[in-house]
Amino acid sequence: MSDILNIAREAAKAALDKKARDVVILKMDDVTIITDYFVICTATNRTQAQAIADNIEDVMKENGMKILHREGLKEAAWILLDYGSVVVHIFQEDMRRFYDLETLWGDAAAVQVKSELG
């Protein structure tokens, strides 16, 4: 297992620690050059989405990952945290259904989020 996959799993675990739902890791390096992994999750409301983002940022910082770009934190309908090799998407339910990244990037392999993470 690569170090980058471990970082993606840490981000997924951080999301689950704040009760994120439907957490998915997509292996992107076979389908695009923009990143190695997407971590995608759902929050039930703005406050939870912001808490998930804050927790992920804390965990990623502890793992030596510097954030390159962040957007959507204030509105929190879709928060994007870009760490280069790992990009985290935190959606509220309607936005996740609308953008449907799993279908858009349907050629990307899903990485199992281990049950011990949740």
Side-chain angles (χ1 to χ4, degrees), residues 18-21 41-55 57 71-80 90-95:
K18 293 298 179 182
K19 309 295 186 214
R21 295 192 347 245
C41 65
T42 302
T44 56
N45 57 51
R46 177 179 173 214
T47 302
Q48 184 191 24
Q50 291 167 334
I52 292 167
D54 288 345
N55 199 46
E57 287 193 61
E71 76 181 63
L73 194 59
K74 185 176 180 182
E75 299 81 15
W78 176 3
I79 299 173
L80 180 127
I90 305 162
F91 289 101
Q92 288 188 43
E93 292 180 50
D94 291 349
M95 293 295 272

Side-chain angles (χ1 to χ4, degrees), residues 10-111:
E10 286 296 317
K13 182 181 183 309
L16 288 166
D17 286 347
K18 293 298 179 182
K19 309 295 186 214
R21 295 192 347 245
D22 304 320
V23 179
V24 174
I25 300 172
L26 296 180
K27 186 177 184 299
M28 301 299 294
D29 60 353
D30 291 334
V31 295
T32 184
I33 60 170
I34 61 173
T35 191
D36 294 325
Y37 293 95
F38 275 176
V39 177
I40 305 168
C41 65
T42 302
T44 56
N45 57 51
R46 177 179 173 214
T47 302
Q48 184 191 24
Q50 291 167 334
I52 292 167
D54 288 345
N55 199 46
I56 290 170
E57 287 193 61
D58 290 345
V59 167
M60 296 297 266
K61 187 175 182 179
E62 289 170 10
N63 281 283
M65 297 294 291
K66 183 177 178 176
I67 193 157
L68 302 175
H69 183 75
R70 136 190 345 102
E71 76 181 63
L73 194 59
K74 185 176 180 182
E75 299 81 15
W78 176 3
I79 299 173
L80 180 127
L81 305 174
D82 182 354
Y83 291 92
S85 297
V86 176
V87 176
V88 180
H89 302 270
I90 305 162
F91 289 101
Q92 288 188 43
E93 292 180 50
D94 291 349
M95 293 295 272
R96 183 159 181 183
R97 276 193 306 273
F98 181 79
Y99 286 101
D100 193 12
L101 294 184
E102 292 95 330
T103 300
L104 179 65
W105 293 101
D107 292 337
V111 176

